[in-house]
Amino acid sequence: MKKNFFWAVVFIMLPFMSFASNGQDGEGEIRFTIKDGAIDNVLRTNIETNLNALFEAFENSLLSEDFKLILPKKGLTSDAKVQIREMWDSSPFACVLDVVETNLIKTSNGNYEVRNIPVTMMSEEADELHRDQMLLVQFDAKGQVENLTIAMNAMTYRSILANASEVELAQRQTIVNFIENFRTAYNRRDLKYLTQVYSDNALIITGRKITPSKSYNAELQKASIGNRYEYVKQTKQEYIDKLARIFKTSKYLNVDFDKITVKQHPKKPTMYGVTLNQYWKNGNYHDEGVLFLVIDFFDEKNPLIQVRTWQSFDDVEENGVFSFEKIKI
Amino acid sequence: MNKFLTKPMTALLLSMLLSPLALPAQTQQPKKIVTRIEILEIDQRVQLPDVFADYTERVAQEIHNAATETDALRLLSKYRMKLSKNNADMSRTPKRWVNEIRTFYKQSDVYIEYAVIDREYTIEWKNGRTTYKLVAEINRENIEGRDKAEAEKHLFQTLNNLPQSNYVVPLPKKVNLTSHENGLLVNPGVNYVLASMDGSTFYKETSTPDGLEAVFSKDYPTESLKNLMMGVVRNNKYTLHLAWPVYGGELRTMDISLKSFVDFWRVMADYNVFCGVSAADTEYSVVFIIMHKVLQYANVCVMTFKTEDFDNGEAVLNATFTTNIPQHNINDIYN
């Protein structure tokens, strides 16, 4: 029964699945491309190679008789091999996209992450709600895969104001009020307030415009076109410490928000996802991008920011904006 | 409007008069005299709201005072303004634009065209041969020159010093009213987002000389509470106990006459007010949205009203008050 279900899913998925070559001709099909976030081209190549080899192994396993997973000999840590095998035994999965262009996110411990790889879980136990998932792959500083996890269920929004009340209308304005306080805090360099409103466990991903070093040779500079932003995952304390330095050293600081969109979490009614355009200027540095915030209003008087991510406009155009579907909450 | 500002202005004048005395003589510096920049004639100013005229000239003055074009450019970027001459962009040379407009605007054949398009206002100075154009974002913080925290303090001070209002809203003419449920008449108001969130007021016919009376009875709770917030219920003695979360996480409180509170927004004339009522058992949630007509920001008051409060004619009504909520930068918050 279980095997029948598995093959039924594989059969349905076949038109959407892109399989690697058999391996005898040399390199497999390139599926993953790192678009942004890697300023080191060697690292980027390593991560792309390891990611492609890993997913080629997944596809080969799906086509084998006993679904045996033969992981690449290189490019994974030994812990990762154990963890991935356990995950595969629990439920094989398939990536539905032919080409995934994604960003590399640098984490606070010097490692890297690739988020939001869309997969379909093939296990019989995966019900309708849990079949579509987003994978998160973590790499060490050399670009070896060291972990692979499921980010969250794919969910769709629903319009909550179809039968909205006057009170809900007021609540939405309260959210905008919170966002304006949040923006004001940056312009006032109010670290105390910002420390209050970020959850201690907040997921914070910041972006930074990269100016290629003058020591780069022409070839490297050419190769780095497109890698204009570096994404860094930080803890709350790291982020607050960084802000403190900016607040202390910047003679001029102006943060502006525009195009604010608010959506309620489909399952957690006190959680709201806020997407907005951020215009940041301090000194001669400026950047523009899209901010995605998840704010928890469980304690209405003391809302907490659980997620803060930043993406460049280019990234948003190519990969879409962060949203509840792409973040595990 | 001035009567509301008497006390704060007096305090401000006193502080201005007294402050130099508090300073030691050796710390006083000679003030740099800055020329007042004008780029709008009086007959041109009246064509646009005062706040925009003042703001436009204030920014022109800042640009004029900027040491270099680079400094001026930063100002222009901060205020998100665009400048042009005969459709050629001059946003890279704001000081030059200000210098040119200062002589151009005075010419006898120059007139202005003013328009608000979405979230921006534009002013064009024209004489048939040359057109100078300024496009500015409608952003309360920039235009008033106060951030949210400062604006909240300012409003708190203003409301805290409001005198008791005796303002009487004139009854509408019967001919302007339309039929409503339960034999009532309605003076329809504009709505905001929801059909039920509007500025309508409700009346019943009487044998009095006016022939009309604003409804206020527990028999018509929704209509009565809308009337209360639209200021048409006369001689009410309700007190609003405002819980006012302000910037920084602080919760301020204020007791204020409900009549004075609602009349203030009507008298100011710069605001549109909307009211919606949600019923739950024996109490009502009254949502009162105050929207600035020009500067695109909102204040929101959510008040609780119990059924028995109708009988007493006077009560302390608890409400939360959230203020200075920008609307100009909202894309979609209701879907």
Side-chain angles (χ1 to χ4, degrees), chain A residues 158-161 164-170 172-174 176-177 180-188 190 193 196 252 254 256-264 279 281 283-284 301-302, chain B residues 74 77-78 80 119 137 139 141 147-150 152 192-194 196-197 245 247-249 276-278 285 287 289 298 300 302 322-335:
Chain A
R158 61 190 168 86
S159 175
I160 73 129
L161 282 181
S165 70
E166 293 79 3
V167 174
E168 281 173 309
L169 196 81
R172 293 300 173 107
Q173 289 290 347
T174 306
V176 181
N177 184 58
E180 180 65 358
N181 281 337
F182 176 65
R183 186 188 71 85
T184 303
Y186 281 90
N187 287 336
R188 291 191 148 227
D190 186 346
Y193 181 80
Q196 274 173 25
Y252 171 81
N254 186 259
D256 210 354
F257 291 164
D258 197 8
K259 294 188 168 45
I260 296 170
T261 300
V262 175
K263 288 186 177 179
Q264 191 178 35
Y279 304 88
K281 289 173 196 151
N284 292 324
K301 290 174 184 168
N302 299 295
Chain B
R74 185 173 288 169
S77 168
K78 178 185 170 186
R80 300 176 98 175
R119 297 163 187 182
E137 184 187 63
N139 176 324
E141 181 174 294
D147 73 5
K148 190 170 189 294
E150 292 162 338
E152 284 171 343
Y192 173 73
V193 183
L194 302 176
S196 57
M197 178 69 73
Y247 172 81
V277 179
S278 297
S285 289
V287 177
I289 293 185
V300 178
V302 181
T322 317
T323 57
N324 297 95
I325 309 166
Q327 306 293 299
H328 72 279
N329 56 5
I330 289 175
N331 194 35
D332 181 7
I333 61 169
Y334 295 123
N335 284 312

Side-chain angles (χ1 to χ4, degrees), chain A residues 146-166:
Chain A
E146 64 171 14
N147 197 15
L148 186 147
T149 58
I150 293 169
M152 81 169 288
N153 304 332
M155 287 184 274
T156 52
Y157 292 119
R158 61 190 168 86
S159 175
I160 73 129
L161 282 181
N163 297 302
S165 70
E166 293 79 3

Side-chain angles (χ1 to χ4, degrees), chain A residues 262-280:
Chain A
V262 175
K263 288 186 177 179
Q264 191 178 35
H265 191 285
K267 289 191 172 174
K268 298 178 180 175
T270 62
M271 293 260 195
Y272 289 87
V274 177
T275 312
L276 55 91
N277 290 354
Q278 176 183 272
Y279 304 88
W280 177 289

